[in-house]
Each structure stands twice: as structure tokens, then as C-alpha cells.
């Protein structure tokens, strides 16, 4: 079970609780491509994996490959404040304070 949306600006919100099959990981990857394509700018991904259950080994391998392929390494300290606009910073705060 997952949620992947962009509610404001370039901030893409990801919540993953479980992925039972490799096909579900493919659905995450497809949804991510759809959302990023709709934004048409470099996105900032905020992920909530607090309720994530353990994956089967094949699912874990595929999920890690998807995550590694979409991750750009950047210094995090102070970075978000510099790249998010006011609405994105506000939405990020709401996302982080939301109950899992």
C-alpha cells in the first residue's frame, strides 16, 4: 500500500506501508514517473516510511533499485530551505507533522 502525490509546487510526497510484490514496486515506479512528468521541473521528494513492513527479498531488491535510480545526492543541511518556496515549505511541515 502506498501513496504518491504532488499537492503543491515541486514537493512530491511518498508514503509506503507495504509492498507485497515486485508488480507493486513497478506501480510505485510508474506512479512516480507520472507525478514527476506532471510537475515538469526538478522535484523534491519527501518520503514517509515509518509504518513500512518488511519486504520479501525480491521486492526489497526491486524497491532499492527504484529508490537508487531516483535519488540525487545533495547536501541536506540548509538545502531544503533554499530550494523550497513558501508554499512548499509549509506543505513539507504539514507532511512531516502528519500522523503515520
Amino acid at each position: 500500500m502506498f501513496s504518491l502525490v504532488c499537492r503543491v509546487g515541486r514537493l512530491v510526497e511518498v508514503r509506503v506501508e507495504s509492498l507485497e510484490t515486485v508488480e507493486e514496486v513497478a506501480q510505485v515506479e510508474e506512479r512516480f514517473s507520472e507525478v514527476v512528468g506532471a510537475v515538469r521541473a526538478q522535484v523534491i521528494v519527501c518520503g514517509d516510511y515509518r509504518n513500512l513492513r518488511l519486504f520479501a527479498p525480491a521486492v526489497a531488491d526491486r524497491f532499492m533499485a527504484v529508490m537508487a535510480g531516483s535519488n540525487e545526492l545533495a547536501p541536506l543541511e540548509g538545502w531544503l530551505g533554499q530550494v523550497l518556496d513558501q508554499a512548499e515549505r509549509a506543505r513539507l511541515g504539514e507532511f512531516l507533522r502528519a500522523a503515520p
Side-chain angles (χ1 to χ4, degrees):
M1 187 158 115
F2 72 93
S3 167
L4 203 154
V5 298
C6 180
R7 290 189 170 95
V8 65
R10 301 165 295 146
L11 189 63
V12 175
E13 303 172 25
V14 181
R15 291 191 198 301
V16 179
E17 292 185 17
S18 67
L19 296 171
E20 302 294 329
T21 66
V22 173
E23 289 77 20
E24 285 182 291
V25 178
Q27 291 173 1
V28 170
E29 189 172 18
E30 182 179 322
R31 177 68 181 144
F32 184 81
S33 293
E34 290 171 4
V35 170
V36 169
V39 172
R40 299 180 188 205
Q42 186 175 20
V43 299
I44 295 102
V45 178
C46 184
D48 181 356
Y49 306 102
R50 293 175 288 181
N51 290 330
L52 188 61
R53 289 182 251 145
L54 292 177
F55 295 149
V59 174
D61 290 344
R62 181 66 184 138
F63 188 67
M64 290 299 293
V66 168
M67 296 297 290
S70 65
N71 252 350
E72 290 185 26
L73 299 177
L76 293 178
E77 188 173 338
W79 183 77
L80 285 176
Q82 294 175 15
V83 298
L84 297 178
D85 65 26
Q86 185 175 4
E88 291 167 337
R89 283 192 303 271
R91 180 61 202 151
L92 177 62
E94 291 171 13
F95 179 87
L96 295 174
R97 286 189 300 276

